Amino acid sequence: MKILVYSFNDKIGDGLQKITFLQELKRIYPNSIIYYTTTQTTTLKDKLNPLVKNIIDEFIEHNDIDSSFINLTKKNNKIPRIKFDLIIDLQKVVLRTLNLKKIPHKRFFSATANFLFSDFKNNNLKFKNIYIEQFYFNILSIIQDKLIDTIPSIEIPNIDFNFKINSEKEKNIAIAPGAGNTIRQWKFDNYLKIAKMLRDRKFNVYFFLGPDEKELLEICLQNKFECPEWENGELISKNITFIMNLAKKMHCLLCNDGGTAWMFEFAGIKSLKIFGVTDERKFSRPGFSQSIQIKDYGYKNLNDFPVTKYQEILEDFLKD
């Protein structure tokens, strides 16, 4: 069985949200050959690949599937010229769906335009204003005509590392000040204030910095905070399983709506995540994320949200 899965673009968080879906898809169709394709790029091909290396057989990036009327009349030369048994559309932009549906197939799934273009019809499952991982599992429920009640955990390979992290997990708090877009970032200085306050209360605070936050490394070290992903000014490893195994040594994570948050949440570690421009209902993993939506407190700009109010919310979060 040949399956083609389409997504527009996958950054770290987008890719992580699809891991359980892809693992379950392979469980449902164990002998399938799965092609994964994107209009732009996908982190499933590189950063997240250790989690799907035995699931995805071929990646096709920059596939010329876009929201162009002109491309509706053109052949797609980027997708293999085979007839797929099943195509799964993970997005809901009409023109992209129509361009995708031109690819030869036997059955086509898409929730676009209330299933107008789909060979599968919705049996009263919700596809709007829900957590995105649930959206993907509702797709699987419809495709196999069997309801999936519980979203399983990601299977994370264990790896050994030499970094010494305090063994008293309840005292270990991680902070991830980055996000893919600066408009989703609360000020780093605010996180630094929170970190100092927590240290004064005898917590062990660790900063998790991605490659785009390297300029913050020296500031963290000068303030005597450890950054477990870094050594001698370089990232120790870009392997996603390394970061997720580090995450499992933490009690919780304080963060923005960024990729590191998803790594922790999918490693089973709860996050306190601050939101300004994105939807906390879609981008908070149920059971593993408590959200702060600044609009609920009368703020429009993320960086106007005060440290004092954050501290109040953090106090209650740490009691749970």
Side-chain angles (χ1 to χ4, degrees):
M1 183 176 188
K2 297 180 179 64
I3 301 174
L4 179 67
V5 179
Y6 169 63
S7 173
F8 177 70
N9 185 50
D10 298 322
K11 293 186 178 180
I12 287 286
D14 307 307
L16 279 168
Q17 292 157 26
K18 295 178 176 73
I19 299 290
T20 50
F21 161 78
L22 292 167
Q23 289 178 343
E24 186 68 10
L25 179 66
K26 190 66 172 180
R27 189 196 66 77
I28 295 169
Y29 301 108
N31 298 318
S32 61
I33 299 172
I34 299 177
Y35 298 75
Y36 191 91
T37 185
T38 52
T39 297
Q40 296 183 0
T41 60
T42 177
T43 49
L44 293 168
K45 186 180 179 181
D46 42 51
K47 297 180 181 70
L48 302 179
N49 192 255
L51 299 172
V52 294
K53 64 181 180 180
N54 297 319
I55 296 170
I56 306 299
D57 295 279
E58 185 174 336
F59 289 96
I60 308 158
E61 296 178 308
H62 305 291
N63 59 19
D64 288 346
I65 295 170
D66 55 24
S67 50
S68 164
F69 280 105
I70 296 173
N71 278 352
L72 285 174
T73 63
K74 295 180 178 179
K75 287 185 179 180
N76 188 304
N77 295 316
K78 298 295 181 70
I79 306 294
R81 294 184 178 182
I82 57 177
K83 187 172 184 177
F84 291 95
D85 295 285
L86 174 63
I87 295 179
I88 302 175
D89 182 9
L90 298 183
Q91 59 85 61
K92 295 195 290 184
V93 174
V94 171
L95 283 173
R96 290 182 200 145
T97 297
L98 291 174
N99 272 301
L100 178 65
K101 196 170 184 181
K102 294 186 310 178
I103 296 167
H105 61 273
K106 293 180 181 178
R107 294 193 298 168
F108 184 84
F109 179 95
S110 178
T112 300
N114 198 24
F115 290 77
L116 179 63
F117 311 107
S118 181
D119 294 322
F120 300 83
K121 300 307 174 186
N122 187 9
N123 50 359
N124 298 317
L125 291 177
K126 197 172 181 182
F127 280 86
K128 292 182 180 179
N129 300 319
I130 60 170
Y131 167 55
I132 192 67
E133 201 179 3
Q134 185 63 61
F135 176 94
Y136 299 140
F137 270 77
N138 285 351
I139 292 174
L140 293 176
S141 292
I142 289 176
I143 287 172
Q144 70 167 352
D145 195 25
K146 182 180 178 182
L147 182 65
I148 300 174
D149 293 318
T150 305
I151 297 174
S153 298
I154 283 182
E155 298 173 12
I156 305 169
N158 288 317
I159 62 170
D160 295 322
F161 49 86
N162 296 322
F163 191 90
K164 292 182 180 179
I165 290 177
N166 190 284
S167 59
E168 194 177 356
K169 183 175 177 177
E170 291 298 310
K171 284 289 184 180
N172 295 341
I173 295 180
I175 296 179
N181 192 313
T182 54
I183 64 172
R184 291 190 274 123
Q185 295 177 11
W186 198 42
K187 288 180 187 174
F188 173 74
D189 287 347
N190 292 341
Y191 280 117
L192 197 57
K193 290 174 184 176
I194 293 295
K196 290 177 179 178
M197 178 272 293
L198 289 168
R199 183 167 61 190
D200 289 343
R201 292 174 53 184
K202 308 303 180 185
F203 285 99
N204 307 305
V205 182
Y206 300 88
F207 275 86
F208 280 70
L209 307 176
D212 294 335
E213 291 101 48
K214 186 175 181 178
E215 74 278 3
L216 302 177
L217 179 62
E218 192 59 34
I219 300 172
C220 292
L221 296 177
Q222 287 173 357
N223 284 275
K224 301 189 185 311
F225 290 109
E226 294 183 86
C227 304
E229 299 166 280
W230 294 78
E231 186 175 59
N232 299 322
E234 300 294 334
L235 282 170
I236 296 171
S237 173
K238 294 182 180 180
N239 190 318
I240 187 72
T241 57
F242 169 72
I243 301 168
M244 295 179 85
N245 275 275
L246 282 174
K248 289 193 285 187
K249 301 291 185 182
M250 301 292 138
H251 173 61
C252 63
L253 172 73
L254 314 182
C255 58
N256 305 307
D257 176 24
T260 303
W262 290 110
M263 294 182 208
F264 273 71
E265 289 166 25
F266 280 106
I269 305 301
K270 193 169 182 180
S271 71
L272 179 63
K273 191 186 298 187
I274 188 166
F275 289 85
V277 297
T278 46
D279 187 344
E280 72 280 6
R281 293 171 299 179
K282 292 183 179 180
F283 300 108
S284 294
R285 192 171 195 232
F288 295 97
S289 179
Q290 179 177 322
S291 60
I292 302 172
Q293 175 51 260
I294 64 167
K295 295 171 187 174
D296 293 343
Y297 297 89
Y299 295 92
K300 293 182 179 179
N301 189 312
L302 194 59
N303 283 321
D304 289 337
F305 194 78
V307 172
T308 51
K309 176 56 69 175
Y310 188 96
Q311 286 177 305
E312 290 177 23
I313 298 168
L314 177 59
E315 285 294 327
D316 291 334
F317 175 74
L318 292 176
K319 290 176 185 176
D320 291 342

Short mmCIF file of all heavy atoms in Angstrom, two decimals, residues 169-195:
data_model
loop_
_atom_site.label_atom_id
_atom_site.label_comp_id
_atom_site.label_asym_id
_atom_site.label_seq_id
_atom_site.Cartn_x
_atom_site.Cartn_y
_atom_site.Cartn_z
N LYS A 169 14.88 15.83 40.75
CA LYS A 169 14.11 16.34 39.60
C LYS A 169 13.11 17.42 39.99
O LYS A 169 12.89 18.37 39.23
CB LYS A 169 13.39 15.17 38.92
CG LYS A 169 12.61 15.56 37.67
CD LYS A 169 12.02 14.35 36.98
CE LYS A 169 11.18 14.77 35.78
NZ LYS A 169 10.66 13.60 35.04
N GLU A 170 12.47 17.30 41.15
CA GLU A 170 11.45 18.26 41.57
C GLU A 170 12.01 19.68 41.69
O GLU A 170 11.25 20.65 41.69
CB GLU A 170 10.84 17.82 42.90
CG GLU A 170 10.00 16.57 42.81
CD GLU A 170 8.79 16.73 41.90
OE1 GLU A 170 8.07 17.72 42.07
OE2 GLU A 170 8.59 15.88 41.02
N LYS A 171 13.33 19.79 41.81
CA LYS A 171 13.96 21.11 41.96
C LYS A 171 14.50 21.65 40.63
O LYS A 171 15.03 22.76 40.59
CB LYS A 171 15.11 21.01 42.98
CG LYS A 171 14.64 20.95 44.43
CD LYS A 171 14.08 22.29 44.88
CE LYS A 171 13.70 22.30 46.34
NZ LYS A 171 13.16 23.62 46.76
N ASN A 172 14.40 20.88 39.56
CA ASN A 172 14.97 21.29 38.28
C ASN A 172 13.92 21.98 37.41
O ASN A 172 12.92 21.36 37.02
CB ASN A 172 15.52 20.07 37.53
CG ASN A 172 16.68 19.43 38.26
OD1 ASN A 172 17.31 20.05 39.11
ND2 ASN A 172 16.97 18.18 37.93
N ILE A 173 14.17 23.23 37.08
CA ILE A 173 13.26 24.00 36.23
C ILE A 173 14.01 24.47 34.99
O ILE A 173 15.09 25.04 35.08
CB ILE A 173 12.66 25.20 36.98
CG1 ILE A 173 11.78 24.71 38.14
CG2 ILE A 173 11.83 26.07 36.04
CD1 ILE A 173 11.14 25.81 38.95
N ALA A 174 13.43 24.19 33.84
CA ALA A 174 14.03 24.61 32.57
C ALA A 174 13.33 25.87 32.07
O ALA A 174 12.13 26.06 32.30
CB ALA A 174 13.89 23.50 31.54
N ILE A 175 14.10 26.71 31.37
CA ILE A 175 13.54 27.91 30.73
C ILE A 175 14.00 27.92 29.28
O ILE A 175 15.19 27.77 28.99
CB ILE A 175 14.00 29.20 31.43
CG1 ILE A 175 13.46 29.26 32.86
CG2 ILE A 175 13.55 30.44 30.64
CD1 ILE A 175 13.90 30.50 33.65
N ALA A 176 13.04 28.07 28.36
CA ALA A 176 13.35 28.17 26.92
C ALA A 176 12.85 29.53 26.44
O ALA A 176 11.65 29.70 26.19
CB ALA A 176 12.69 27.04 26.15
N PRO A 177 13.74 30.50 26.29
CA PRO A 177 13.32 31.87 25.96
C PRO A 177 13.10 32.14 24.48
O PRO A 177 12.69 33.24 24.10
CB PRO A 177 14.50 32.71 26.49
CG PRO A 177 15.69 31.81 26.29
CD PRO A 177 15.19 30.41 26.54
N GLY A 178 13.35 31.17 23.63
CA GLY A 178 13.24 31.39 22.19
C GLY A 178 11.89 31.00 21.63
O GLY A 178 11.01 30.49 22.32
N ALA A 179 11.73 31.26 20.34
CA ALA A 179 10.56 30.84 19.55
C ALA A 179 10.92 31.10 18.10
O ALA A 179 11.82 31.90 17.79
CB ALA A 179 9.30 31.60 19.94
N GLY A 180 10.24 30.44 17.19
CA GLY A 180 10.57 30.56 15.77
C GLY A 180 10.42 31.97 15.22
O GLY A 180 11.09 32.34 14.27
N ASN A 181 9.55 32.75 15.85
CA ASN A 181 9.32 34.12 15.40
C ASN A 181 9.41 35.04 16.61
O ASN A 181 8.85 34.74 17.68
CB ASN A 181 7.94 34.22 14.75
CG ASN A 181 7.73 35.53 14.02
OD1 ASN A 181 8.02 36.60 14.53
ND2 ASN A 181 7.20 35.44 12.80
N THR A 182 10.07 36.19 16.47
CA THR A 182 10.28 37.09 17.61
C THR A 182 8.98 37.63 18.18
O THR A 182 8.92 38.00 19.36
CB THR A 182 11.19 38.27 17.22
OG1 THR A 182 10.63 38.93 16.07
CG2 THR A 182 12.60 37.79 16.88
N ILE A 183 7.92 37.68 17.39
CA ILE A 183 6.65 38.20 17.91
C ILE A 183 6.01 37.22 18.90
O ILE A 183 5.06 37.57 19.59
CB ILE A 183 5.64 38.55 16.78
CG1 ILE A 183 5.24 37.29 15.99
CG2 ILE A 183 6.20 39.60 15.87
CD1 ILE A 183 4.12 37.54 15.00
N ARG A 184 6.57 36.00 18.99
CA ARG A 184 6.07 35.02 19.95
C ARG A 184 6.98 34.92 21.17
O ARG A 184 6.83 34.02 21.99
CB ARG A 184 5.92 33.65 19.29
CG ARG A 184 4.80 33.60 18.27
CD ARG A 184 4.51 32.19 17.80
NE ARG A 184 5.37 31.78 16.70
CZ ARG A 184 6.15 30.73 16.71
NH1 ARG A 184 6.23 29.95 17.77
NH2 ARG A 184 6.89 30.43 15.67
N GLN A 185 7.93 35.84 21.30
CA GLN A 185 8.91 35.77 22.39
C GLN A 185 8.66 36.83 23.45
O GLN A 185 8.62 38.03 23.15
CB GLN A 185 10.33 35.95 21.83
CG GLN A 185 10.78 34.84 20.91
CD GLN A 185 12.16 35.08 20.32
OE1 GLN A 185 12.87 35.98 20.75
NE2 GLN A 185 12.54 34.28 19.35
N TRP A 186 8.48 36.38 24.69
CA TRP A 186 8.49 37.28 25.84
C TRP A 186 9.95 37.69 26.04
O TRP A 186 10.86 36.94 25.73
CB TRP A 186 7.96 36.52 27.05
CG TRP A 186 7.49 37.36 28.20
CD1 TRP A 186 6.77 38.52 28.13
CD2 TRP A 186 7.70 37.08 29.59
NE1 TRP A 186 6.50 38.97 29.40
CE2 TRP A 186 7.06 38.11 30.32
CE3 TRP A 186 8.34 36.07 30.30
CZ2 TRP A 186 7.06 38.16 31.71
CZ3 TRP A 186 8.34 36.10 31.67
CH2 TRP A 186 7.71 37.14 32.38
N LYS A 187 10.19 38.88 26.57
CA LYS A 187 11.56 39.39 26.70
C LYS A 187 12.47 38.43 27.45
O LYS A 187 12.09 37.90 28.50
CB LYS A 187 11.56 40.74 27.42
CG LYS A 187 11.01 41.90 26.64
CD LYS A 187 11.07 43.15 27.50
CE LYS A 187 10.39 44.33 26.83
NZ LYS A 187 10.34 45.51 27.74
N PHE A 188 13.67 38.26 26.93
CA PHE A 188 14.64 37.41 27.62
C PHE A 188 14.95 37.95 29.01
O PHE A 188 15.10 37.18 29.97
CB PHE A 188 15.94 37.32 26.81
CG PHE A 188 17.04 36.60 27.54
CD1 PHE A 188 17.00 35.22 27.69
CD2 PHE A 188 18.10 37.30 28.11
CE1 PHE A 188 18.01 34.55 28.38
CE2 PHE A 188 19.10 36.64 28.80
CZ PHE A 188 19.06 35.26 28.94
N ASP A 189 15.05 39.29 29.15
CA ASP A 189 15.32 39.88 30.46
C ASP A 189 14.27 39.49 31.49
O ASP A 189 14.57 39.35 32.68
CB ASP A 189 15.40 41.41 30.36
CG ASP A 189 16.67 41.88 29.67
OD1 ASP A 189 17.59 41.05 29.50
OD2 ASP A 189 16.75 43.06 29.29
N ASN A 190 13.03 39.31 31.03
CA ASN A 190 11.98 38.88 31.95
C ASN A 190 12.24 37.47 32.45
O ASN A 190 12.08 37.17 33.64
CB ASN A 190 10.62 38.94 31.25
CG ASN A 190 10.18 40.36 30.95
OD1 ASN A 190 10.67 41.31 31.53
ND2 ASN A 190 9.24 40.50 30.03
N TYR A 191 12.63 36.59 31.52
CA TYR A 191 12.95 35.22 31.93
C TYR A 191 14.16 35.19 32.87
O TYR A 191 14.22 34.37 33.80
CB TYR A 191 13.23 34.35 30.71
CG TYR A 191 11.98 33.87 30.01
CD1 TYR A 191 11.69 34.24 28.70
CD2 TYR A 191 11.06 33.04 30.66
CE1 TYR A 191 10.55 33.80 28.05
CE2 TYR A 191 9.92 32.59 30.03
CZ TYR A 191 9.66 32.97 28.72
OH TYR A 191 8.51 32.54 28.09
N LEU A 192 15.11 36.08 32.63
CA LEU A 192 16.29 36.14 33.50
C LEU A 192 15.90 36.55 34.92
O LEU A 192 16.41 35.99 35.90
CB LEU A 192 17.31 37.13 32.91
CG LEU A 192 18.75 37.05 33.43
CD1 LEU A 192 19.33 35.65 33.22
CD2 LEU A 192 19.63 38.09 32.74
N LYS A 193 14.97 37.47 35.03
CA LYS A 193 14.47 37.87 36.35
C LYS A 193 13.76 36.71 37.05
O LYS A 193 13.94 36.48 38.25
CB LYS A 193 13.51 39.05 36.22
CG LYS A 193 14.17 40.37 35.81
CD LYS A 193 13.13 41.45 35.56
CE LYS A 193 13.80 42.73 35.05
NZ LYS A 193 12.81 43.78 34.70
N ILE A 194 12.96 35.99 36.28
CA ILE A 194 12.26 34.83 36.84
C ILE A 194 13.27 33.78 37.29
O ILE A 194 13.13 33.16 38.36
CB ILE A 194 11.29 34.23 35.79
CG1 ILE A 194 10.15 35.21 35.49
CG2 ILE A 194 10.75 32.89 36.27
CD1 ILE A 194 9.21 35.49 36.64
N ALA A 195 14.30 33.55 36.47
CA ALA A 195 15.33 32.56 36.80
C ALA A 195 16.04 32.91 38.11
O ALA A 195 16.28 32.03 38.95
CB ALA A 195 16.34 32.46 35.65
#
